[in-house]
Amino acid sequence: MQKLFILVCCLLGSSWAMAQDNSVAINSGVRVVKDSRLDVLIKKQIYINTLAIRNQSGFRVQVISTNKRGDANEAKAKVMQLFSDYRTYLDYQAPYFKVRVGDFKTREEATELRDKLSDLFSGGVFVVPAIINVTLDKELSNEESN
């Protein structure tokens, strides 16, 4: 009998105890509190995602192609010291190590650097087509000049 009384009390108590009152939930909306800097970050990320300019076809200047890693590293270090404004890449395409410089959209831009580098490297300096990395700063400066 005592168990039955406890069971009935629990059932009545649970029906009265409600997590939310429907009338309060309908009348009061959800309030979101967030940092205002989140909006700035969201806009910036949307802009970056819509650019789709990270990898484009373009040109690089190939300084050396050799099967000796040491020679390739020396050539890369030399270019990095003398032309620190340009990114330098060491690519391996078996069995050759290739040192390439710059990220140029047009062949003419790459030709200017090739002319400067041809005096430093005797093996031949060539402009080669490549998939280039375009930075956001570079793209923004190009848009402002247009």
Side-chain angles (χ1 to χ4, degrees):
M1 186 67 148
Q2 191 177 14
K3 291 181 183 179
L4 182 62
F5 178 72
I6 293 174
L7 179 65
V8 170
C9 288
C10 287
L11 289 175
L12 288 174
S14 65
S15 66
W16 288 324
M18 298 175 66
Q20 281 185 332
D21 186 11
N22 287 338
S23 61
V24 173
I26 292 171
N27 293 334
S28 66
V30 176
R31 185 172 165 223
V32 178
V33 179
K34 65 178 179 176
D35 192 349
S36 62
R37 294 177 291 179
L38 286 175
D39 292 331
V40 174
L41 287 174
I42 290 170
K43 288 178 183 177
K44 185 181 258 187
Q45 188 62 46
I46 289 171
Y47 178 72
I48 289 170
N49 289 344
T50 56
L51 283 178
I53 57 163
R54 293 288 175 218
N55 296 319
Q56 294 180 350
S57 25
F59 299 92
R60 290 190 177 141
V61 178
Q62 181 170 310
V63 172
I64 190 172
S65 177
T66 181
N67 57 359
K68 298 177 184 172
R69 177 180 278 174
D71 293 347
N73 283 330
E74 287 175 18
K76 180 179 178 182
K78 187 176 181 180
V79 171
M80 287 175 71
Q81 285 177 346
L82 297 173
F83 297 93
S84 60
D85 295 342
Y86 300 102
R87 284 189 70 180
T88 307
Y89 302 91
L90 178 62
D91 297 329
Y92 178 69
Q93 295 173 349
Y96 298 106
F97 294 93
K98 299 177 180 184
V99 176
R100 295 180 175 175
V101 183
D103 293 309
F104 302 103
K105 288 188 174 185
T106 64
R107 185 177 290 274
E108 291 75 25
E109 293 174 357
T111 304
E112 292 176 18
L113 181 62
R114 182 200 65 194
D115 295 340
K116 295 176 187 176
L117 289 169
S118 61
D119 297 335
L120 301 172
F121 296 95
S122 60
V125 179
F126 304 99
V127 175
V128 293
I131 301 298
I132 62 171
N133 301 318
V134 180
T135 61
L136 183 60
D137 297 336
K138 191 173 185 181
E139 187 63 27
L140 289 174
S141 66
N142 286 344
E143 286 179 3
E144 289 174 0
S145 64
N146 289 338

